[in-house]
């Protein structure tokens, strides 16, 4: 936890708060230590940036969650818009 806080420029308490808000859920090692992915660390840094700009932490967490959902929806939308590589030729072809 301390190393993750150092890497993100936050505190352990801030990372715990993000976990309580449901923004990040680190895995646990056999010894019970929190293990953060690179993606979770990027999310934590984005939330920190918003809080540093004066956004309340609960609002920053909601913004980060919505940004993440939008990014995923856009990615899925782009995949669905691409023509299928294995599409059968039509009778008009």
């Amino acid at each position: 936890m301390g190393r993750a806080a150092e890497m993100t420029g936050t505190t352990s308490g801030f990372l715990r708060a993000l976990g309580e808000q449901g923004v990040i859920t680190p895995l646990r090692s056999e010894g019970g230590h929190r293990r953060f992915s690179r993606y979770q660390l990027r999310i934590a840094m984005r939330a920190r940036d918003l809080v540093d700009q004066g956004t309340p932490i609960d609002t920053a967490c909601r913004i980060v969650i919505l940004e993440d959902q939008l990014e995923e929806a856009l990615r899925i939308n782009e995949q669905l818009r691409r023509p299928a590589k294995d599409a059968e030729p039509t009778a008009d072809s």
Side-chain angles (χ1 to χ4, degrees), residues 24-84:
I24 56 175
T25 306
L27 297 175
R28 297 275 184 157
S29 69
E30 288 182 20
H33 298 283
R34 290 176 179 88
R35 301 286 185 203
F36 295 92
S37 68
R38 287 186 176 113
Y39 173 75
Q40 290 172 331
L41 295 176
R42 283 196 313 270
I43 294 289
M45 288 186 285
R46 174 65 179 133
R48 184 207 62 216
D49 290 343
L50 289 167
V51 169
D52 287 350
Q53 293 171 19
T55 306
I57 191 166
D58 58 329
T59 304
C61 289
R62 185 69 182 141
I63 290 169
V64 168
I65 289 168
L66 290 170
E67 287 175 342
D68 190 49
Q69 290 172 345
L70 175 60
E71 183 178 315
E72 178 68 7
L74 291 171
R75 185 188 63 75
I76 291 169
N77 193 16
E78 180 60 31
Q79 285 179 340
L80 293 173
R81 287 179 187 241
R82 281 191 227 135

Side-chain angles (χ1 to χ4, degrees), residues 83-93:
K85 291 180 182 177
D86 299 327
E88 297 280 332
T90 63
D92 297 334
S93 301

